[in-house]
Amino acid sequence: MQKIQRKIPPPIRLKKVKQRFPGSIEVLKKLVADAGFIGEWRPQRISTGNFKHVFRGNDGSVLTFYASQTVQFQGKGKDLSELEAAIGKYL
């Protein structure tokens, strides 16, 4: 009897990239809007006095801005690549 080996594809991983953004949240919001991304910004409390601001695009892209000026891109596919390209030149 022969043993059949099956190749199981690896799990899909969402791309996560953290980088520093030299400006304020207001500047970042303007860059995202000027690049034509449509979605909603929401502040979220991390701890006492610390917030992060999360942009959730209608296309599935996610951009998080932390008080430390770190930005994190999340999501998948073309939409994430376009968001990274639009904001990435300022990082």
Side-chain angles (χ1 to χ4, degrees), residues 60-81:
S61 56
V62 178
L63 174 60
T64 306
F65 178 83
Y66 295 91
S68 63
Q69 291 183 305
T70 301
V71 291
Q72 180 179 20
F73 297 96
Q74 293 177 282
K76 55 185 174 182
K78 178 183 163 202
D79 302 324
L80 175 64
S81 299

Side-chain angles (χ1 to χ4, degrees), residues 8 20 24 28-29 32 36 40 45 52-54 56 60-61 64 81 83:
I8 299 172
R20 304 269 300 165
S24 67
L28 185 59
K29 285 180 178 181
V32 170
E40 185 176 4
R45 183 178 293 224
K52 66 180 179 180
H53 298 269
V54 181
R56 295 191 183 275
S61 56
T64 306
S81 299
L83 182 60

Side-chain angles (χ1 to χ4, degrees), residues 29-39 55 58-59 82-83 86:
K29 285 180 178 181
K30 182 167 177 14
L31 289 174
V32 170
D34 289 350
F37 286 92
I38 300 169
F55 173 78
N58 291 348
D59 55 15
E82 289 177 0
L83 182 60

